[in-house]
C-alpha cells in the first residue's frame, strides 16, 4: 500500500522540487498551502498549478493571517530589500523573515498528517544559499520532529512515528534546479518573487529572485519566468 506524505507547497521553486522528490520516492502526496497574509496571491496561484501538474492526492489551502502581527516585509508595509549580493543576504536575518512562520506551517502540516495518517512531512527549506532564516536550519527540523512525536495522539499511541523530510536543506540552488529538472518539474508554473508587479511579473531584484537567477545561471539553464530585471 502506498504511504502518504504531506508536503508544504508554497508554489515556489524549492517546495515544488521537494514535492516532486516525495512523489518520486513513491509517496501519495497530500499538499498543504497556507495563505498566511502575504502581500500577494501569486505564489498561492502557483501552488495550485504545481499541485495539479504533480497529480497530488489532495490539495488543501488554509488561511492563518500572520499579517495581523506584522513584523515582516512579506506581511507588513515594510520595504522589500533589493539588489543585495549573496554576502549581504547571508549577513543577518533579513526583514523578509516572517516571525515563527515555519513553526506555524509545520504545525498545520502535522495536524493534516495525523488526520490522513501520513507519518512523513516534506518541507522545502534550504540552509545553503540562504542561511539567514533560523527556521531553515537542520537543528530546527530535528527539534520540530522530536516535538511532533511528543505532541500527537497518533505518535503517543504508537500508530505513527513522524519524520520531517527536508531533502533540499544542504543543496545549492543549482543542485535543487538540476534535480527538479531530472524529475520533470515545470518551473514555469512556480513563483518565487517577494515583490512582483500587479500582473505577477517577478521583480528580479529581491533576494528570492536573485538567488533563483543565480541558481539557474550556475546550473547552466535559463529561468523560464519573465522578469522586470533579469541580471543576476
Amino acid at each position: 500500500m502506498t504511504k502518504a506524505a504531506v508536503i508544504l507547497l508554497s508554489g515556489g521553486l524549492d517546495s515544488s522540487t521537494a514535492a516532486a522528490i516525495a512523489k518520486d520516492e513513491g509517496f501519495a502526496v497530500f499538499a498543504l498551502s497556507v495563505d498566511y497574509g502575504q502581500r500577494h496571491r501569486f505564489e498561492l496561484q502557483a501552488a495550485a498549478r504545481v499541485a495539479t501538474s504533480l497529480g497530488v492526492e489532495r490539495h488543501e489551502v488554509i488561511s492563518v493571517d500572520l499579517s495581523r502581527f506584522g513584523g515582516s516585509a512579506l506581511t507588513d508595509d515594510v520595504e522589500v530589500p533589493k539588489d543585495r549580493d549573496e554576502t549581504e543576504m547571508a549577513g543577518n536575518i533579513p526583514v523578509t523573515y516572517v516571525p515563527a512562520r515555519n513553526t506555524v506551517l509545520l504545525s498545520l502540516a502535522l495536524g493534516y498528517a495525523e488526520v490522513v495518517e501520513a507519518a512523513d512531512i516534506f518541507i522545502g527549506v534550504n540552509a545553503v544559499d540562504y542561511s539567514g532564516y533560523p527556521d531553515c536550519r537542520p537543528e530546527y527540523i530535528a527539534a520540530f520532529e522530536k516535538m511532533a512525536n511528543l505532541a500527537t495522539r497518533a505518535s503517543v499511541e504508537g500508530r505513527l512515528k513522524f519524520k520531517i523530510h527536508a531533502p533540499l536543506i544542504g543543496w545549492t540552488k543549482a543542485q535543487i534546479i538540476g534535480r527538479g529538472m531530472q524529475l520533470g518539474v515545470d518551473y514555469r508554473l512556480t513563483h518565487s518573487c517577494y515583490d512582483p508587479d500587479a500582473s505577477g511579473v517577478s521583480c528580479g531584484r529581491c533576494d528570492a529572485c536573485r538567488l533563483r537567477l543565480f541558481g539557474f545561471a550556475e546550473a547552466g539553464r535559463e529561468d523560464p519566468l519573465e522578469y522586470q530585471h533579469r541580471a543576476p
Side-chain angles (χ1 to χ4, degrees), residues 9-216:
L9 185 64
S10 71
L13 183 152
D14 292 344
S15 72
S16 299
T17 306
I21 289 171
K23 185 113 188 209
D24 184 65
E25 291 181 359
F27 289 100
V29 175
F30 289 75
L32 175 64
S33 302
V34 181
D35 180 349
Y36 59 85
Q38 55 267 59
R39 299 199 317 189
H40 64 79
R41 305 275 78 82
F42 298 116
E43 206 174 37
L44 290 168
Q45 293 167 12
R49 295 192 296 266
V50 171
T52 298
S53 74
L54 291 175
V56 302
E57 301 293 318
R58 177 176 163 191
H59 181 209
E60 291 289 339
V61 182
I62 62 174
S63 298
V64 179
D65 191 4
L66 299 182
S67 70
R68 294 285 296 271
F69 301 150
S72 169
L74 300 191
T75 60
D76 206 345
D77 188 19
V78 177
E79 187 175 354
V80 173
K82 300 282 179 68
D83 302 319
R84 303 201 307 161
D85 62 29
E86 290 175 285
T87 302
E88 290 175 298
M89 292 182 208
N92 296 293
I93 298 173
V95 296
T96 50
Y97 164 74
V98 179
R101 179 179 61 180
N102 282 348
T103 303
V104 172
L105 269 54
L106 277 170
S107 296
L108 294 168
L110 179 61
Y112 188 20
E114 189 169 20
V115 170
V116 300
E117 299 187 330
D120 299 272
I121 299 172
F122 282 74
I123 184 170
V125 294
N126 175 252
V128 175
D129 278 345
Y130 207 132
S131 58
Y133 293 153
D135 54 2
C136 290
R137 296 175 295 168
E139 53 266 46
Y140 165 77
I141 297 298
F144 191 94
E145 180 176 297
K146 181 177 180 180
M147 184 278 296
N149 285 295
L150 291 170
T152 51
R153 177 179 177 179
S155 59
V156 169
E157 292 180 347
R159 291 185 286 109
L160 293 173
K161 182 173 176 57
F162 290 103
K163 170 69 176 175
I164 310 298
H165 300 258
L168 317 180
I169 202 161
W171 294 6
T172 66
K173 272 288 188 288
Q175 289 172 322
I176 294 167
I177 291 163
R179 182 61 178 138
M181 288 189 162
Q182 288 174 352
L183 295 174
V185 176
D186 186 352
Y187 289 120
R188 294 174 300 177
L189 304 179
T190 65
H191 181 95
S192 301
C193 182
Y194 292 151
D195 195 24
D197 68 15
S199 63
V201 177
S202 299
C203 72
R205 298 173 57 204
C206 69
D207 291 355
C209 283
R210 288 177 66 79
L211 286 168
R212 179 177 171 130
L213 286 164
F214 283 138
F216 271 97

